[in-house]
């Protein structure tokens, strides 16, 4: 950083090589991202004088400071797999990676990243000030249960919030049957299921009503006559 004093006006200005400097104060701003990991920054201040014409420019003693580093690590938090962390100079920005951990079990999925008590998404940036652990947060996978009237009339109560792996008891049908038919059974993925059956939810599930024709009988009354009538 170099200070220059205009002889005529007495105005002081500052300049610097390869850095941003405040002309009035001489404060130099360096981008830490431009330095190698753990680099040592060296600085010399030069006073070119100007207040006294014969004054000889002066250089300060060289000052140096080694950049502190910090580690960024990923915590799978019960999940499986590995994600590579990184050692960085303190003060740089770091963009969080997309999750490649596998969830702890088949009934969970990735929700968000968490640092301390604050949530972050992939590609969010933060300034590295200290060793930092980025923890994966998991959530249960929500699923829905719906009823298909399959030609019947009316509606069935929608299920409340359910999650993959939950057990669910199939309701009794309250649909109105198509004309000349009655409820037979429920069908889930091609399989016959009775009301009150408990099923384990593995995905969004449609429970379809299966109807059947209403059986009736026709009989003959001899009304005092003899013999029988055969039915077809």
């Amino acid at each position: 950083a170099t200070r220059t004093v205009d002889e005529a006006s007495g105005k002081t200005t500052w300049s610097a090589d390869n850095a941003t400097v405040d002309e009035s104060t001489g404060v130099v701003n360096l981008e830490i991202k431009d330095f190698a990991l753990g680099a040592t920054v060296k600085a010399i201040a030069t006073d070119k004088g100007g207040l006294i014409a014969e004054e000889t420019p002066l250089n300060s003693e060289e000052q140096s400071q080694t950049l502190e580093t910090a580690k960024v690590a990923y915590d799978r938090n019960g999940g499986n797999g590995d994600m590579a962390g990184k050692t960085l100079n303190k003060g740089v920005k770091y963009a969080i990676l997309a999750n490649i951990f596998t969830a702890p079990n088949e009934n969970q999925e990735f929700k968000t990243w968490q640092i301390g008590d604050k949530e972050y998404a992939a590609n969010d940036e933060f300034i590295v000030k200290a060793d930092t652990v980025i923890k994966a947060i998991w959530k249960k996978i929500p699923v829905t249960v719906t009823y298909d009237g399959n030609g019947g009339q009316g509606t069935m109560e929608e299920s409340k919030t359910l999650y993959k792996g939950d057990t669910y008891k199939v309701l009794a049908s309250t649909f109105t049957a198509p004309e000349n038919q009655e409820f037979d059974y429920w069908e889930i993925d091609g399989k016959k299921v009775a009301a009150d059956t408990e099923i384990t939810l593995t995905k969004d599930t449609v429970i379809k009503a299966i109807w059947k024709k209403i059986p009736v009988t026709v009989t003959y009354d001899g009304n005092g006559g003899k013999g029988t009538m055969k039915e077809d």
Side-chain angles (χ1 to χ4, degrees):
T2 301
R3 183 180 75 161
T4 302
V5 181
D6 183 77
E7 294 182 7
S9 64
K11 181 180 178 182
T12 298
T13 57
W14 288 88
S15 62
D17 296 331
N18 303 317
T20 301
V21 62
D22 187 307
E23 290 187 358
S24 300
T25 65
V27 174
V28 177
N29 292 308
L30 303 176
E31 289 286 342
I32 295 178
K33 68 180 182 179
D34 294 334
F35 292 97
L37 185 66
T40 298
V41 181
K42 298 179 180 181
I44 295 174
T46 299
D47 187 346
K48 284 192 173 181
L51 295 177
I52 302 174
E54 296 81 11
E55 188 175 42
T56 302
L58 300 174
N59 290 332
S60 70
E61 292 184 4
E62 182 180 272
Q63 301 293 320
S64 65
Q65 180 175 334
T66 299
L67 298 178
E68 295 182 357
T69 61
K71 294 180 179 179
V72 173
Y74 289 86
D75 177 2
R76 65 175 71 89
N77 191 26
N80 298 287
D82 294 293
M83 288 188 64
K86 194 172 185 179
T87 301
L88 302 159
N89 290 322
K90 290 183 180 180
V92 302
K93 286 184 178 180
Y94 178 78
I96 298 175
L97 302 178
N99 173 57
I100 59 172
F101 289 132
T102 303
N105 59 64
E106 63 181 6
N107 298 326
Q108 291 181 295
E109 63 184 3
F110 180 78
K111 178 185 178 185
T112 188
W113 292 113
Q114 183 174 294
I115 300 174
D117 57 359
K118 186 177 180 181
E119 293 185 350
Y120 292 82
N123 297 318
D124 281 352
E125 292 184 332
F126 67 93
I127 295 176
V128 178
K129 298 179 180 179
D131 289 346
T132 304
V133 176
I134 305 172
K135 183 168 69 173
I137 302 299
W138 309 101
K139 66 177 181 178
K140 293 181 179 180
I141 300 174
V143 294
T144 61
V145 174
T146 55
Y147 288 85
D148 177 4
N150 191 27
Q153 303 297 315
T155 58
M156 291 281 291
E157 179 182 353
E158 293 294 330
S159 62
K160 298 180 180 179
T161 302
L162 297 165
Y163 297 96
K164 187 177 178 182
D166 286 354
T167 57
Y168 177 79
K169 182 178 286 189
V170 178
L171 302 177
S173 173
T174 59
F175 289 125
T176 300
E179 187 176 3
N180 300 324
Q181 296 185 60
E182 63 182 2
F183 181 79
D184 191 6
Y185 58 87
W186 294 113
E187 183 182 88
I188 301 175
D189 293 332
K191 296 181 180 179
K192 182 177 180 179
V193 178
D196 294 328
T197 299
E198 282 196 345
I199 60 174
T200 299
L201 301 174
T202 60
K203 60 181 180 178
D204 291 341
T205 302
V206 177
I207 303 175
K208 183 169 72 173
I210 302 299
W211 308 101
K212 66 179 180 180
K213 292 182 178 180
I214 300 174
V216 295
T217 57
V218 176
T219 57
Y220 291 86
D221 180 2
N223 194 24
K226 304 293 185 180
T228 60
M229 294 284 292
K230 292 184 178 180
E231 296 182 7
D232 290 338

